[in-house]
Amino acid sequence: MQIGYARISQADQSIDLQCDALAQAGCEKIFTDTLSGAREKRPGLSQALEFARSGDVLTVWRLDRLGRSLPHLIETIRLLDQRAVGFKSLAEAIDTTSVGGRLAYHLFGALAEFERALIRERTRAGLEAARQRGRVGGRPRSMTTDKVEAAKKLLSDGTPAKDVARILAVSMATLYRHCPVAAV
């Protein structure tokens, strides 16, 4: 069975073009959504995926109607493949039930992996460049060297640890970590 899925982003748009193309392509049942593709929860898509059985083909008008991003699209098609459900995109002429369609799908997968690797590489390079300029990631330390010295002086003067922590605006655990003497 060929199952259609159509999506528009806004209610003032018309879904008719997509539904007509899906019906003409032979879709017997068509599920729809009227919401942004960036949304993770799409009831129409969930219903279509639940409805699809082994041997069925999920058909969309264009690839961007199915996936939020290339990695999301690849993951959705991979899940369909695991359930032996085919995938077809009318505009891009991708059909995973054919050899050429599977090749196109794997090329998209390779491109998505390449994109993720580039992002990781750029992130690492940016962090390394920041480190070389003296910048360190993470939260600033709450106990600076000056605060540690002040804490030690207050504790040696007999100020209770609880009061020292309050004065320096740090937690008791932080005070104990930097001044083990306070725990005694």
Side-chain angles (χ1 to χ4, degrees), residues 122-132 135 137:
R122 284 193 300 261
T123 301
R124 284 189 189 123
L127 290 171
E128 183 58 35
R131 271 189 221 104
Q132 288 176 353
R135 297 196 58 203

Side-chain angles (χ1 to χ4, degrees), residues 78-142:
R78 188 184 65 75
L79 291 172
L80 288 170
D81 190 47
Q82 285 178 345
R83 295 177 43 209
V85 174
F87 172 74
K88 186 187 264 185
S89 171
L90 301 177
E92 290 83 7
I94 294 175
D95 183 353
T96 64
T97 61
S98 72
V99 175
R102 281 194 298 277
L103 172 65
Y105 162 69
H106 288 294
L107 286 173
F108 279 125
L111 289 172
E113 181 58 36
F114 178 69
E115 177 188 28
R116 285 190 295 271
L118 283 177
I119 291 169
R120 276 193 303 270
E121 190 175 293
R122 284 193 300 261
T123 301
R124 284 189 189 123
L127 290 171
E128 183 58 35
R131 271 189 221 104
Q132 288 176 353
R133 288 190 310 272
R135 297 196 58 203
V136 192
R139 284 180 63 174
R141 293 193 169 270
S142 58

Side-chain angles (χ1 to χ4, degrees), residues 3-5 31 43-53 58 83:
I3 301 160
Y5 173 68
F31 295 88
L45 179 58
S46 296
Q47 290 170 352
L49 294 174
E50 267 181 46
F51 185 81
R53 301 289 176 246
L58 179 66
R83 295 177 43 209

